[in-house]
Amino acid sequence: MTMTIESSTTDSSLQSSNYDVSIFIPVYNEEENIKLLDDQIKAALDGQSINYEVIYVDDGSSDKSFEVLKSVAQGNSHIKVLKFRRNFGQTAAMSAGIDAASGKVLIPMDSDLQNDPSDIPNLLAKINEGYDVVSGWRKNRKDTFINRTLPSMMANKLISWLSGVNLHDYGCTLKAYRSEVLKDIRLYGELHRFIPICASWVGAKVTEIPVKHHERQFGESKYGINRTFKVVLDLMLMKFLTDYITKPIYVFGGIAFISILLSFASFVGAIALKFTNHIQLDGTPLPLLGAMFFTVGVQIFMMGILADLVMRTYYESQNKRTYSLEEALNLHD
Ligand code: UDP
Ligand code: MG
């Protein structure tokens, strides 16, 4: 294995010297798994002439995980450890891993031995074929069917359908990304599983390969069924953010328009009833309905204007671009 000596960190970032591959691994109460995982990674990658670093992010573990990580990192400068002050969640831990990674290819992985490091060379081979994102597909998933695998299958179908990106398994942590793809993405909620979608939406080439999956031997899963709902909500939010963030008035304006149309229809209906069936205006709920639709419509329209103002502040305060460049020729910087 080739190893690069760690250089001093730059002032504002945690990044260390350059590696080809950065593996980053969130750890939350996985004391029995870490040493075995470290062995598996070594077995899979040492001797492959891959210049890699491993970044463990201890997400506020309350067991001995950090002590084990310390001993694993001892004397191995390519193994880095970050420790959170408290439990911030897997997505935050992955963000920290991405921030600290210096590799050209970034590979997230679980620390519970359910993913198998021996798949990493296959992921890298796909990246070398020219893909920007290679997603792992736990084709033979070893989790309980009724509360894990089945809801996840349904969520995956829904996500594929809504996003237009066809992957079988968004939830598999083991994936490989070209680092440019991850650099600008900010992760919130459970959004880490949607990175391939964000990437594909800005034009990245995305593919998937089957990867191994093992039953959890030690420790316990940190999630229950409610994760599926969170994931679906996250997706809807993200769909909105990507499609309409630069033009929120289209969404709000559209709903406002429908509401105001309904209000006019109600008024017209009420008047029609008066002249055809001789039902007085106070003999039908239609005028009230009309007034309600009208108020709601105006309010939603105003909300759209507010959303538009917020969006402008969001982009202009951070100098964010509303597009994503692949290349720029003959331009400075
Ligand atoms: N994890 C974490 N913070 C959390 C929850 C989980 O860092 O708050 C890590 C955990 O240690 C594991 C990975 O995220 O490495 C996946 O968690 P888990 O195995 O519980 O999920 P499952 O495989 O059951 O979906
Ligand atoms: Mg697991």
Side-chain angles (χ1 to χ4, degrees):
M1 177 193 59
T2 27
M3 250 196 299
T4 318
I5 304 303
E6 201 182 321
S7 64
S8 63
T9 50
T10 50
D11 46 9
S12 62
S13 81
L14 289 164
Q15 270 186 21
S16 54
S17 47
N18 287 320
Y19 292 88
D20 295 331
V21 176
S22 301
I23 302 167
F24 55 100
I25 307 178
V27 176
Y28 184 46
N29 294 342
E30 309 278 6
E31 56 186 5
E32 297 109 318
N33 293 313
I34 297 160
K35 186 76 191 76
L36 293 165
L37 178 63
D38 181 57
D39 293 341
Q40 286 187 5
I41 294 174
K42 289 204 172 94
L45 296 183
D46 290 6
Q48 291 261 353
S49 70
I50 299 170
N51 177 22
Y52 72 96
E53 64 177 341
V54 184
I55 301 164
Y56 290 98
V57 184
D58 179 358
D59 184 13
S61 297
S62 51
D63 66 355
K64 295 241 159 22
S65 291
F66 186 67
E67 280 69 40
V68 184
L69 287 172
K70 242 193 213 160
S71 73
V72 163
Q74 182 79 43
N76 293 305
S77 65
H78 71 296
I79 299 181
K80 337 255 154 156
V81 180
L82 300 172
K83 185 177 191 296
F84 281 179
R85 286 188 194 283
R86 64 164 172 87
N87 179 241
F88 284 94
Q90 189 185 352
T91 303
M94 290 178 74
S95 276
I98 293 168
D99 290 342
S102 60
K104 298 182 191 73
V105 180
L106 308 190
I107 300 185
M109 203 175 137
D110 284 345
S111 52
D112 58 357
L113 308 174
Q114 291 201 269
N115 294 139
D116 197 319
S118 68
D119 285 310
I120 291 175
N122 303 334
L123 293 169
L124 292 174
K126 271 284 175 205
I127 291 277
N128 287 333
E129 279 177 30
Y131 289 99
D132 301 302
V133 179
V134 184
S135 184
W137 168 19
R138 294 164 295 179
K139 206 168 179 176
N140 194 356
R141 190 167 165 180
K142 298 283 169 35
D143 280 319
T144 47
F145 184 76
I146 198 74
N147 67 343
R148 305 301 296 273
T149 309
L150 181 69
S152 150
M153 268 163 61
M154 297 193 297
N156 282 319
K157 282 259 175 339
L158 182 69
I159 296 168
S160 281
W161 175 65
L162 279 176
S163 66
V165 180
N166 287 313
L167 296 179
H168 285 91
D169 187 5
Y170 293 90
C172 179
T173 312
L174 184 61
K175 295 181 165 95
Y177 305 93
R178 260 178 228 285
S179 67
E180 309 89 88
V181 169
L182 287 182
K183 238 188 296 178
D184 289 335
I185 297 182
R186 283 276 151 262
L187 302 174
Y188 304 98
E190 290 280 318
L191 282 183
H192 65 263
R193 63 197 68 236
F194 296 130
I195 303 171
I197 300 177
C198 302
S200 162
W201 282 345
V202 298
K205 281 176 73 182
V206 180
T207 190
E208 69 182 355
I209 58 169
V211 294
K212 300 176 200 86
H213 193 242
H214 306 291
E215 239 168 276
R216 203 187 235 281
Q217 306 282 336
F218 309 104
E220 50 196 40
S221 171
K222 277 80 195 175
Y223 299 103
I225 179 95
N226 66 349
R227 178 170 62 183
T228 308
F229 297 106
K230 290 187 191 161
V231 165
V232 171
L233 287 175
D234 270 338
L235 176 77
M236 294 194 310
L237 180 67
M238 209 184 55
K239 177 86 182 153
F240 172 80
L241 286 180
T242 1
D243 286 4
Y244 293 108
I245 188 147
T246 56
K247 39 187 192 298
I249 192 70
Y250 290 1
V251 185
F252 290 93
I255 301 173
F257 184 71
I258 292 170
S259 193
I260 288 178
L261 266 187
L262 285 173
S263 108
F264 282 119
S266 309
F267 285 129
V268 170
I271 292 168
L273 282 180
K274 180 174 164 69
F275 287 110
T276 55
N277 296 13
H278 303 290
I279 298 174
Q280 295 307 309
L281 287 185
D282 56 3
T284 145
L286 283 176
L288 193 65
L289 218 58
M292 193 195 74
F293 277 130
F294 188 77
T295 324
V296 168
V298 171
Q299 294 236 350
I300 292 181
F301 182 72
M302 295 300 179
M303 272 169 67
I305 292 182
L306 278 181
D308 226 274
L309 285 174
V310 171
M311 178 275 293
R312 275 155 216 258
T313 322
Y314 172 76
Y315 276 95
E316 282 163 25
S317 63
Q318 304 178 57
N319 281 325
K320 275 189 188 295
R321 284 187 259 122
T322 52
Y323 51 85
S324 150
L325 285 181
E326 182 165 356
E327 263 178 72
L329 299 179
N330 292 346
L331 274 151
H332 301 295
D333 304 328

